[in-house]
Amino acid sequence: MTDPPSAKPFRWNIARREQLGDLTATAPATAYDGFVDDLRQAAAKVLARARASELVFVGRSLESVFDYLSGALQSIDAAPSLTLLQFSCPRGTAAELAGKHPQELAALHAYLAAERLDPAALASGGRRVAFVDVVSSGATFATLAGLMHHWSRAAGVDFSAVLHHIAFLGVTEQRRTSPNTWRWWQRPPWSELAMKPATASTSVPYRFWAHVADGEAKVTPSHRLGDWGAPLPAAGMRNAEHMSALRRAADLYDLGRTCDERRRLARLLAAAPEMREEGVRSLARRLKGG
């Protein structure tokens, strides 16, 4: 059996503007009035709840947060690293995927390993990694946890050591709380896991949650099971939707880099309950300094 090809999906690096040429010479994708304010609030909440962990944004839903924070944290000393993990949740358990789609699963493993998200890398380092996504049922996170468990056993890696270094942070819609409030980590398939990873939530206004989950134009297409082994090349992403989303991503990155925007983000961090933790306080200070 030959080694799987490199399966890291393509995405333009908006930090290297000289490589984009005239790709952003189009109107940016539109959003609702107040979107940037909601985005800033969401970004601050994610940073605070992650407690200075490395951030891995799962799928495309939080592309805007990723692009904005990529600008805001650029050149900030000791800022948490950011990764956009292009992953569209498949159906089936890890064992079923290994039996029916071994080549695709091997390609996914290669992609995760290239991002230092394989079980051995996670279990052996002093890193703390928070996987972040908008959450409805929690199925995507549960599938990722199941895939990591299956891969750990196959690779001879202690899964409990992996769990010690990862957490899943769900971005949920704001709702009135009560003793009967639905919590995604308490329901199947999470409740069926013998070993449960650390989980946390942060809530955002419904208009933001719905926009980024369902209504927002994205820079790349979904990276589904059938694409894992053969990611779409850049030439396949030059339609109007992806180009307008790329322009919007570049604008958000540029906004995040400005001193005024970093100070706004720092003020929101400073107001978070997690500000009592040194890692969050330190990041807020460095952002305030620009």
Side-chain angles (χ1 to χ4, degrees):
M1 180 177 179
T2 59
D3 292 335
S6 176
K8 184 173 180 177
F10 176 85
R11 190 181 194 265
W12 289 280
N13 185 346
I14 56 177
R16 298 181 177 178
R17 201 59 54 84
E18 72 281 358
Q19 297 182 4
L20 299 183
D22 62 355
L23 290 177
T24 56
T26 185
T30 58
Y32 58 85
D33 291 342
F35 172 74
V36 170
D37 291 336
D38 288 347
L39 171 65
R40 185 187 306 115
Q41 290 272 0
K45 287 183 174 183
V46 166
L47 284 176
R49 292 293 282 159
R51 292 172 167 84
S53 297
E54 297 180 18
L55 297 176
V56 177
F57 294 94
V58 180
R60 305 187 304 162
S61 293
L62 293 174
E63 268 192 353
S64 292
V65 178
F66 170 80
D67 292 320
Y68 167 80
L69 283 180
S70 293
L73 300 180
Q74 196 265 338
S75 298
I76 298 295
D77 291 341
S81 67
L82 307 175
T83 300
L84 186 65
L85 181 65
Q86 298 185 59
F87 175 83
S88 185
C89 185
R91 293 183 178 181
T93 65
E96 291 170 345
L97 292 172
K100 297 178 181 179
H101 306 280
Q103 293 183 334
E104 289 83 357
L105 190 59
L108 178 65
H109 288 177
Y111 174 28
L112 290 169
E115 299 287 6
R116 297 181 62 241
L117 296 174
D118 57 291
L122 291 169
S124 62
R127 307 155 61 206
R128 179 77 174 170
V129 176
F131 293 89
V132 190
D133 193 12
V134 295
V135 166
S136 177
S137 67
T140 295
F141 281 164
T143 296
L144 271 176
L147 288 169
M148 198 65 68
H149 184 207
H150 184 271
W151 190 4
S152 297
R153 289 195 302 173
V157 176
D158 181 6
F159 186 55
S160 64
V162 175
L163 292 182
H164 182 70
H165 294 284
I166 66 173
F168 292 92
L169 174 54
V171 176
T172 63
E173 59 179 285
Q174 287 176 350
R175 295 180 177 180
R176 183 175 299 175
T177 59
S178 75
N180 297 320
T181 297
W182 175 83
R183 294 175 174 85
W184 55 272
W185 64 86
Q186 295 176 335
R187 303 292 180 89
W190 287 99
S191 60
E192 300 169 0
L193 292 174
M195 303 175 66
K196 294 181 177 61
T199 56
S201 288
T202 189
S203 61
V204 296
Y206 174 75
R207 64 179 185 174
F208 179 81
W209 188 92
H211 178 74
V212 298
D214 298 318
E216 187 178 51
K218 303 300 182 183
V219 175
T220 63
S222 294
H223 191 53
R224 299 185 175 91
L225 173 64
D227 306 315
W228 290 357
L232 188 68
M237 303 179 196
R238 293 176 182 264
N239 61 36
E241 176 185 349
H242 296 316
M243 291 296 94
S244 64
L246 179 63
R247 167 63 187 275
R248 189 265 332 278
D251 289 349
L252 291 176
Y253 177 86
D254 290 344
L255 173 66
R257 291 186 65 191
T258 64
C259 291
D260 286 346
E261 189 61 30
R262 287 176 172 179
R263 293 187 185 111
R264 294 186 188 103
L265 181 60
R267 285 195 292 270
L268 292 174
L269 267 182
E274 294 83 3
M275 189 64 176
R276 62 183 179 270
E277 300 190 15
E278 174 55 31
V280 179
R281 289 199 305 272
S282 177
L283 179 58
R285 288 194 299 269
R286 294 193 301 274
L287 279 168
K288 185 177 180 180

CSV table of all heavy atoms in Angstrom, one decimal, residues 162-212:
chain,number,residue,atom,x,y,z
A,162,VAL,N,-3.9,12.0,25.3
A,162,VAL,CA,-4.5,12.9,24.3
A,162,VAL,C,-5.5,13.8,24.9
A,162,VAL,O,-5.5,15.1,24.8
A,162,VAL,CB,-5.0,12.2,23.1
A,162,VAL,CG1,-5.7,13.1,22.1
A,162,VAL,CG2,-3.9,11.3,22.4
A,163,LEU,N,-6.5,13.2,25.7
A,163,LEU,CA,-7.6,14.0,26.3
A,163,LEU,C,-7.0,15.0,27.2
A,163,LEU,O,-7.7,16.1,27.4
A,163,LEU,CB,-8.5,13.0,27.0
A,163,LEU,CG,-9.4,12.1,26.1
A,163,LEU,CD1,-10.3,11.3,27.0
A,163,LEU,CD2,-10.1,12.9,25.1
A,164,HIS,N,-5.9,14.7,27.8
A,164,HIS,CA,-5.3,15.7,28.8
A,164,HIS,C,-4.9,17.0,28.2
A,164,HIS,O,-4.9,18.0,28.8
A,164,HIS,CB,-4.1,15.0,29.5
A,164,HIS,CG,-3.5,15.9,30.5
A,164,HIS,ND1,-4.1,16.2,31.7
A,164,HIS,CD2,-2.3,16.6,30.5
A,164,HIS,CE1,-3.3,17.0,32.5
A,164,HIS,NE2,-2.2,17.2,31.8
A,165,HIS,N,-4.7,17.0,26.8
A,165,HIS,CA,-4.2,18.1,26.1
A,165,HIS,C,-5.2,18.8,25.2
A,165,HIS,O,-4.9,19.8,24.5
A,165,HIS,CB,-3.0,17.8,25.3
A,165,HIS,CG,-1.8,17.4,26.2
A,165,HIS,ND1,-1.0,18.3,26.9
A,165,HIS,CD2,-1.3,16.2,26.5
A,165,HIS,CE1,-0.1,17.7,27.6
A,165,HIS,NE2,-0.2,16.4,27.3
A,166,ILE,N,-6.4,18.3,25.1
A,166,ILE,CA,-7.4,18.9,24.2
A,166,ILE,C,-8.7,19.2,24.9
A,166,ILE,O,-9.0,18.7,26.0
A,166,ILE,CB,-7.7,17.9,23.0
A,166,ILE,CG1,-8.5,16.7,23.5
A,166,ILE,CG2,-6.5,17.6,22.3
A,166,ILE,CD1,-8.9,15.8,22.4
A,167,ALA,N,-9.5,20.1,24.3
A,167,ALA,CA,-10.8,20.5,24.8
A,167,ALA,C,-11.6,20.8,23.6
A,167,ALA,O,-11.1,21.2,22.5
A,167,ALA,CB,-10.7,21.6,25.8
A,168,PHE,N,-13.0,20.8,23.8
A,168,PHE,CA,-13.9,21.1,22.7
A,168,PHE,C,-14.7,22.3,23.2
A,168,PHE,O,-15.4,22.2,24.2
A,168,PHE,CB,-14.8,19.9,22.3
A,168,PHE,CG,-14.0,18.8,21.7
A,168,PHE,CD1,-13.5,17.8,22.4
A,168,PHE,CD2,-13.8,18.8,20.3
A,168,PHE,CE1,-12.8,16.8,21.8
A,168,PHE,CE2,-13.1,17.8,19.7
A,168,PHE,CZ,-12.6,16.8,20.5
A,169,LEU,N,-14.7,23.4,22.4
A,169,LEU,CA,-15.3,24.6,22.8
A,169,LEU,C,-16.5,24.9,21.8
A,169,LEU,O,-16.2,25.2,20.6
A,169,LEU,CB,-14.4,25.8,22.8
A,169,LEU,CG,-14.9,27.2,23.0
A,169,LEU,CD1,-15.7,27.3,24.3
A,169,LEU,CD2,-13.8,28.2,23.1
A,170,GLY,N,-17.7,24.8,22.3
A,170,GLY,CA,-18.8,25.0,21.4
A,170,GLY,C,-19.4,26.4,21.5
A,170,GLY,O,-19.6,26.9,22.5
A,171,VAL,N,-19.6,27.0,20.3
A,171,VAL,CA,-20.2,28.3,20.2
A,171,VAL,C,-21.7,28.1,20.0
A,171,VAL,O,-22.1,27.6,18.9
A,171,VAL,CB,-19.6,29.1,19.1
A,171,VAL,CG1,-20.3,30.5,18.9
A,171,VAL,CG2,-18.1,29.3,19.3
A,172,THR,N,-22.5,28.5,20.9
A,172,THR,CA,-23.9,28.2,20.9
A,172,THR,C,-24.7,29.5,20.8
A,172,THR,O,-24.2,30.6,21.0
A,172,THR,CB,-24.4,27.5,22.2
A,172,THR,OG1,-24.2,28.3,23.3
A,172,THR,CG2,-23.6,26.2,22.3
A,173,GLU,N,-26.0,29.4,20.5
A,173,GLU,CA,-26.8,30.6,20.4
A,173,GLU,C,-27.3,31.0,21.8
A,173,GLU,O,-27.5,30.1,22.7
A,173,GLU,CB,-28.0,30.4,19.5
A,173,GLU,CG,-28.9,29.2,20.0
A,173,GLU,CD,-30.1,29.0,19.1
A,173,GLU,OE1,-31.1,29.9,19.2
A,173,GLU,OE2,-30.1,28.1,18.3
A,174,GLN,N,-27.4,32.3,22.1
A,174,GLN,CA,-27.8,32.7,23.4
A,174,GLN,C,-29.3,32.4,23.6
A,174,GLN,O,-30.1,32.6,22.8
A,174,GLN,CB,-27.7,34.3,23.5
A,174,GLN,CG,-26.2,34.7,23.6
A,174,GLN,CD,-26.1,36.2,23.6
A,174,GLN,OE1,-27.0,36.9,23.3
A,174,GLN,NE2,-24.9,36.7,23.9
A,175,ARG,N,-29.5,31.8,24.8
A,175,ARG,CA,-30.8,31.4,25.2
A,175,ARG,C,-31.0,31.7,26.7
A,175,ARG,O,-30.0,31.8,27.4
A,175,ARG,CB,-31.1,29.9,25.0
A,175,ARG,CG,-31.1,29.5,23.6
A,175,ARG,CD,-31.4,28.0,23.4
A,175,ARG,NE,-31.4,27.5,22.1
A,175,ARG,CZ,-31.7,26.3,21.7
A,175,ARG,NH1,-31.8,25.3,22.6
A,175,ARG,NH2,-31.7,25.9,20.4
A,176,ARG,N,-32.2,31.8,27.1
A,176,ARG,CA,-32.5,32.0,28.6
A,176,ARG,C,-32.1,30.7,29.3
A,176,ARG,O,-32.5,29.6,28.9
A,176,ARG,CB,-34.0,32.4,28.8
A,176,ARG,CG,-34.3,32.7,30.2
A,176,ARG,CD,-35.7,33.1,30.3
A,176,ARG,NE,-36.0,34.4,29.6
A,176,ARG,CZ,-37.2,34.9,29.4
A,176,ARG,NH1,-38.2,34.3,30.0
A,176,ARG,NH2,-37.3,36.0,28.7
A,177,THR,N,-31.3,30.9,30.3
A,177,THR,CA,-30.9,29.7,31.1
A,177,THR,C,-31.9,29.3,32.1
A,177,THR,O,-32.7,30.1,32.6
A,177,THR,CB,-29.6,30.0,31.8
A,177,THR,OG1,-29.8,31.1,32.7
A,177,THR,CG2,-28.5,30.3,30.8
A,178,SER,N,-31.9,28.0,32.4
A,178,SER,CA,-32.8,27.4,33.4
A,178,SER,C,-32.2,26.0,33.8
A,178,SER,O,-31.3,25.5,33.1
A,178,SER,CB,-34.2,27.2,32.8
A,178,SER,OG,-34.3,26.1,31.9
A,179,PRO,N,-32.7,25.4,34.9
A,179,PRO,CA,-32.2,24.1,35.2
A,179,PRO,C,-32.4,23.0,34.1
A,179,PRO,O,-31.7,22.0,34.1
A,179,PRO,CB,-33.1,23.7,36.4
A,179,PRO,CG,-33.5,25.0,37.0
A,179,PRO,CD,-33.7,25.9,35.8
A,180,ASN,N,-33.4,23.3,33.2
A,180,ASN,CA,-33.6,22.4,32.1
A,180,ASN,C,-32.9,22.8,30.8
A,180,ASN,O,-33.3,22.2,29.7
A,180,ASN,CB,-35.1,22.2,31.9
A,180,ASN,CG,-35.8,21.6,33.1
A,180,ASN,OD1,-35.3,20.7,33.7
A,180,ASN,ND2,-37.0,22.2,33.4
A,181,THR,N,-32.0,23.7,30.8
A,181,THR,CA,-31.3,24.2,29.6
A,181,THR,C,-30.6,23.0,28.9
A,181,THR,O,-29.9,22.2,29.6
A,181,THR,CB,-30.3,25.3,30.0
A,181,THR,OG1,-31.0,26.4,30.5
A,181,THR,CG2,-29.6,25.7,28.7
A,182,TRP,N,-30.8,22.9,27.6
A,182,TRP,CA,-30.2,21.9,26.8
A,182,TRP,C,-28.7,22.2,26.8
A,182,TRP,O,-28.2,23.3,26.5
A,182,TRP,CB,-30.8,21.8,25.4
A,182,TRP,CG,-30.1,20.9,24.5
A,182,TRP,CD1,-30.3,19.5,24.4
A,182,TRP,CD2,-29.1,21.2,23.5
A,182,TRP,NE1,-29.5,19.0,23.4
A,182,TRP,CE2,-28.7,20.0,22.9
A,182,TRP,CE3,-28.4,22.3,23.2
A,182,TRP,CZ2,-27.8,19.9,21.9
A,182,TRP,CZ3,-27.4,22.3,22.2
A,182,TRP,CH2,-27.2,21.1,21.5
A,183,ARG,N,-27.9,21.1,27.0
A,183,ARG,CA,-26.4,21.2,27.0
A,183,ARG,C,-25.9,20.1,26.1
A,183,ARG,O,-26.1,19.0,26.3
A,183,ARG,CB,-25.8,21.1,28.4
A,183,ARG,CG,-26.2,22.3,29.3
A,183,ARG,CD,-25.7,22.1,30.7
A,183,ARG,NE,-25.9,23.3,31.5
A,183,ARG,CZ,-27.1,23.6,32.1
A,183,ARG,NH1,-28.1,22.7,32.0
A,183,ARG,NH2,-27.2,24.7,32.8
A,184,TRP,N,-25.2,20.6,25.0
A,184,TRP,CA,-24.8,19.6,23.9
A,184,TRP,C,-24.0,18.5,24.4
A,184,TRP,O,-24.0,17.4,23.9
A,184,TRP,CB,-24.2,20.4,22.8
A,184,TRP,CG,-23.0,21.2,23.2
A,184,TRP,CD1,-23.0,22.5,23.6
A,184,TRP,CD2,-21.6,20.8,23.1
A,184,TRP,NE1,-21.7,23.0,23.8
A,184,TRP,CE2,-20.8,22.0,23.6
A,184,TRP,CE3,-20.9,19.7,22.8
A,184,TRP,CZ2,-19.5,21.9,23.7
A,184,TRP,CZ3,-19.6,19.6,22.9
A,184,TRP,CH2,-18.8,20.7,23.4
A,185,TRP,N,-23.1,18.7,25.4
A,185,TRP,CA,-22.2,17.7,25.8
A,185,TRP,C,-22.8,16.6,26.7
A,185,TRP,O,-22.2,15.6,27.1
A,185,TRP,CB,-21.0,18.3,26.6
A,185,TRP,CG,-21.3,19.0,27.8
A,185,TRP,CD1,-21.4,18.4,29.1
A,185,TRP,CD2,-21.6,20.4,28.0
A,185,TRP,NE1,-21.8,19.4,30.0
A,185,TRP,CE2,-21.9,20.6,29.4
A,185,TRP,CE3,-21.6,21.4,27.1
A,185,TRP,CZ2,-22.2,21.8,29.9
A,185,TRP,CZ3,-21.9,22.7,27.7
A,185,TRP,CH2,-22.2,22.9,29.0
A,186,GLN,N,-24.1,16.8,27.1
A,186,GLN,CA,-24.8,15.9,28.0
A,186,GLN,C,-25.6,14.9,27.2
A,186,GLN,O,-26.2,14.0,27.8
A,186,GLN,CB,-25.6,16.7,29.0
A,186,GLN,CG,-24.8,17.5,30.0
A,186,GLN,CD,-25.7,18.3,30.9
A,186,GLN,OE1,-26.9,18.6,30.6
A,186,GLN,NE2,-25.2,18.7,32.1
A,187,ARG,N,-25.7,15.1,26.0
A,187,ARG,CA,-26.6,14.3,25.1
A,187,ARG,C,-25.8,13.3,24.2
A,187,ARG,O,-24.6,13.5,24.0
A,187,ARG,CB,-27.5,15.2,24.3
A,187,ARG,CG,-28.3,16.2,25.0
A,187,ARG,CD,-29.4,15.5,25.9
A,187,ARG,NE,-30.2,16.5,26.6
A,187,ARG,CZ,-31.3,17.1,26.1
A,187,ARG,NH1,-31.7,16.8,24.9
A,187,ARG,NH2,-31.9,17.9,26.9
A,188,PRO,N,-26.4,12.3,23.7
A,188,PRO,CA,-25.8,11.4,22.8
A,188,PRO,C,-25.3,12.2,21.6
A,188,PRO,O,-26.0,13.2,21.2
A,188,PRO,CB,-26.8,10.4,22.3
A,188,PRO,CG,-27.8,10.4,23.5
A,188,PRO,CD,-27.8,11.8,24.0
A,189,PRO,N,-24.1,11.9,21.0
A,189,PRO,CA,-23.3,10.7,21.3
A,189,PRO,C,-22.3,11.0,22.4
A,189,PRO,O,-21.5,10.1,22.7
A,189,PRO,CB,-22.6,10.5,19.9
A,189,PRO,CG,-22.5,11.8,19.3
A,189,PRO,CD,-23.7,12.6,19.8
A,190,TRP,N,-22.2,12.2,23.0
A,190,TRP,CA,-21.3,12.4,24.0
A,190,TRP,C,-21.5,11.5,25.2
A,190,TRP,O,-20.5,11.0,25.8
A,190,TRP,CB,-21.3,13.9,24.5
A,190,TRP,CG,-20.8,14.9,23.5
A,190,TRP,CD1,-21.5,15.6,22.6
A,190,TRP,CD2,-19.4,15.2,23.2
A,190,TRP,NE1,-20.7,16.3,21.8
A,190,TRP,CE2,-19.4,16.1,22.2
A,190,TRP,CE3,-18.2,14.7,23.8
A,190,TRP,CZ2,-18.2,16.6,21.7
A,190,TRP,CZ3,-17.1,15.2,23.3
A,190,TRP,CH2,-17.0,16.2,22.3
A,191,SER,N,-22.7,11.3,25.6
A,191,SER,CA,-23.0,10.5,26.7
A,191,SER,C,-22.6,9.0,26.6
A,191,SER,O,-22.5,8.3,27.5
A,191,SER,CB,-24.5,10.5,27.1
A,191,SER,OG,-25.3,10.1,26.0
A,192,GLU,N,-22.3,8.6,25.3
A,192,GLU,CA,-21.9,7.2,25.0
A,192,GLU,C,-20.4,7.0,25.1
A,192,GLU,O,-19.9,5.9,25.0
A,192,GLU,CB,-22.5,6.8,23.7
A,192,GLU,CG,-24.0,6.9,23.6
A,192,GLU,CD,-24.5,6.8,22.2
A,192,GLU,OE1,-23.7,6.6,21.3
A,192,GLU,OE2,-25.7,6.8,22.0
A,193,LEU,N,-19.6,8.1,25.2
A,193,LEU,CA,-18.2,8.0,25.2
A,193,LEU,C,-17.7,7.5,26.6
A,193,LEU,O,-18.1,8.1,27.6
A,193,LEU,CB,-17.5,9.3,24.9
A,193,LEU,CG,-17.7,9.8,23.5
A,193,LEU,CD1,-17.1,11.2,23.4
A,193,LEU,CD2,-17.0,8.9,22.5
A,194,ALA,N,-16.9,6.4,26.6
A,194,ALA,CA,-16.4,5.9,27.9
A,194,ALA,C,-15.4,6.9,28.6
A,194,ALA,O,-15.4,7.1,29.8
A,194,ALA,CB,-15.7,4.6,27.7
A,195,MET,N,-14.7,7.6,27.7
A,195,MET,CA,-13.7,8.6,28.2
A,195,MET,C,-14.1,10.0,27.6
A,195,MET,O,-14.1,10.1,26.4
A,195,MET,CB,-12.3,8.3,27.8
A,195,MET,CG,-11.8,6.9,28.3
A,195,MET,SD,-10.2,6.5,27.7
A,195,MET,CE,-9.2,7.7,28.6
A,196,LYS,N,-14.5,10.9,28.4
A,196,LYS,CA,-15.1,12.2,27.9
A,196,LYS,C,-14.0,13.3,27.9
A,196,LYS,O,-13.3,13.5,28.9
A,196,LYS,CB,-16.3,12.6,28.8
A,196,LYS,CG,-17.5,11.6,28.7
A,196,LYS,CD,-18.6,12.1,29.5
A,196,LYS,CE,-19.8,11.2,29.3
A,196,LYS,NZ,-19.6,9.8,29.7
A,197,PRO,N,-13.8,14.0,26.8
A,197,PRO,CA,-12.9,15.1,26.8
A,197,PRO,C,-13.5,16.3,27.5
A,197,PRO,O,-14.7,16.4,27.8
A,197,PRO,CB,-12.8,15.4,25.3
A,197,PRO,CG,-14.1,14.9,24.7
A,197,PRO,CD,-14.5,13.8,25.5
A,198,ALA,N,-12.6,17.3,27.8
A,198,ALA,CA,-13.1,18.5,28.4
A,198,ALA,C,-13.9,19.3,27.4
A,198,ALA,O,-13.6,19.3,26.2
A,198,ALA,CB,-11.9,19.3,28.9
A,199,THR,N,-15.0,19.9,27.9
A,199,THR,CA,-15.9,20.6,27.0
A,199,THR,C,-16.2,22.0,27.7
A,199,THR,O,-16.2,22.1,28.9
A,199,THR,CB,-17.2,19.9,26.7
A,199,THR,OG1,-17.8,19.6,28.0
A,199,THR,CG2,-16.9,18.6,26.0
A,200,ALA,N,-16.5,22.9,26.9
A,200,ALA,CA,-16.9,24.3,27.3
A,200,ALA,C,-17.8,24.9,26.3
A,200,ALA,O,-17.8,24.5,25.1
A,200,ALA,CB,-15.7,25.1,27.7
A,201,SER,N,-18.5,25.9,26.7
A,201,SER,CA,-19.4,26.6,25.7
A,201,SER,C,-19.3,28.1,25.9
A,201,SER,O,-18.9,28.6,27.0
A,201,SER,CB,-20.9,26.2,26.0
A,201,SER,OG,-21.2,24.9,25.5
A,202,THR,N,-19.6,28.8,24.9
A,202,THR,CA,-19.8,30.3,24.9
A,202,THR,C,-20.9,30.6,24.0
A,202,THR,O,-21.0,30.0,22.9
A,202,THR,CB,-18.5,31.0,24.6
A,202,THR,OG1,-18.6,32.4,24.9
A,202,THR,CG2,-18.1,30.9,23.1
A,203,SER,N,-21.7,31.6,24.4
A,203,SER,CA,-22.9,31.9,23.6
A,203,SER,C,-22.8,33.2,22.9
A,203,SER,O,-22.1,34.1,23.3
A,203,SER,CB,-24.1,31.9,24.5
A,203,SER,OG,-24.0,32.9,25.5
A,204,VAL,N,-23.5,33.2,21.7
A,204,VAL,CA,-23.4,34.4,20.9
A,204,VAL,C,-24.9,34.7,20.5
A,204,VAL,O,-25.7,33.9,20.5
A,204,VAL,CB,-22.6,34.2,19.6
A,204,VAL,CG1,-21.1,34.0,20.0
A,204,VAL,CG2,-23.1,33.0,18.8
A,205,PRO,N,-25.1,36.0,20.0
A,205,PRO,CA,-26.5,36.3,19.5
A,205,PRO,C,-26.9,35.3,18.4
A,205,PRO,O,-26.1,34.9,17.6
A,205,PRO,CB,-26.4,37.7,19.1
A,205,PRO,CG,-25.2,38.3,19.8
A,205,PRO,CD,-24.3,37.2,20.0
A,206,TYR,N,-28.2,35.0,18.4
A,206,TYR,CA,-28.7,34.1,17.4
A,206,TYR,C,-28.4,34.6,16.0
A,206,TYR,O,-28.1,33.8,15.1
A,206,TYR,CB,-30.2,33.9,17.5
A,206,TYR,CG,-30.8,33.0,16.4
A,206,TYR,CD1,-30.5,31.7,16.3
A,206,TYR,CD2,-31.5,33.6,15.3
A,206,TYR,CE1,-31.0,30.9,15.3
A,206,TYR,CE2,-32.0,32.8,14.3
A,206,TYR,CZ,-31.7,31.5,14.3
A,206,TYR,OH,-32.2,30.7,13.2
A,207,ARG,N,-28.5,35.9,15.7
A,207,ARG,CA,-28.3,36.4,14.4
A,207,ARG,C,-26.8,36.1,13.9
A,207,ARG,O,-26.6,35.8,12.7
A,207,ARG,CB,-28.5,37.9,14.3
A,207,ARG,CG,-27.6,38.8,15.1
A,207,ARG,CD,-28.0,40.3,15.0
A,207,ARG,NE,-27.0,41.1,15.7
A,207,ARG,CZ,-27.0,42.5,15.6
A,207,ARG,NH1,-27.9,43.1,14.9
A,207,ARG,NH2,-26.1,43.2,16.3
A,208,PHE,N,-25.9,36.2,14.8
A,208,PHE,CA,-24.5,35.9,14.5
A,208,PHE,C,-24.3,34.4,14.2
A,208,PHE,O,-23.7,33.9,13.3
A,208,PHE,CB,-23.5,36.4,15.5
A,208,PHE,CG,-22.1,36.0,15.3
A,208,PHE,CD1,-21.3,36.9,14.4
A,208,PHE,CD2,-21.5,34.9,15.8
A,208,PHE,CE1,-20.0,36.6,14.1
A,208,PHE,CE2,-20.1,34.6,15.6
A,208,PHE,CZ,-19.4,35.5,14.7
A,209,TRP,N,-24.9,33.6,15.2
A,209,TRP,CA,-24.8,32.1,15.1
A,209,TRP,C,-25.4,31.6,13.8
A,209,TRP,O,-24.8,30.8,13.1
A,209,TRP,CB,-25.5,31.5,16.3
A,209,TRP,CG,-25.4,30.1,16.5
A,209,TRP,CD1,-24.5,29.4,17.2
A,209,TRP,CD2,-26.2,29.0,15.9
A,209,TRP,NE1,-24.7,28.0,17.2
A,209,TRP,CE2,-25.7,27.8,16.4
A,209,TRP,CE3,-27.3,29.1,15.1
A,209,TRP,CZ2,-26.3,26.6,16.0
A,209,TRP,CZ3,-27.9,27.8,14.7
A,209,TRP,CH2,-27.4,26.6,15.2
A,210,ALA,N,-26.6,32.1,13.4
A,210,ALA,CA,-27.2,31.6,12.2
A,210,ALA,C,-26.5,32.1,11.0
A,210,ALA,O,-26.4,31.4,10.0
A,210,ALA,CB,-28.7,32.1,12.2
A,211,HIS,N,-26.0,33.3,11.0
A,211,HIS,CA,-25.3,33.9,9.8
A,211,HIS,C,-24.0,33.1,9.5
A,211,HIS,O,-23.8,32.6,8.4
A,211,HIS,CB,-24.9,35.3,10.1
A,211,HIS,CG,-24.2,36.0,8.9
A,211,HIS,ND1,-24.7,36.3,7.7
A,211,HIS,CD2,-22.8,36.3,8.8
A,211,HIS,CE1,-23.8,36.8,6.9
A,211,HIS,NE2,-22.7,36.8,7.6
A,212,VAL,N,-23.2,32.8,10.5
A,212,VAL,CA,-21.9,32.1,10.2
A,212,VAL,C,-22.1,30.6,10.0
A,212,VAL,O,-21.4,30.0,9.2
A,212,VAL,CB,-20.9,32.3,11.4
A,212,VAL,CG1,-20.5,33.8,11.5
A,212,VAL,CG2,-21.4,31.7,12.7
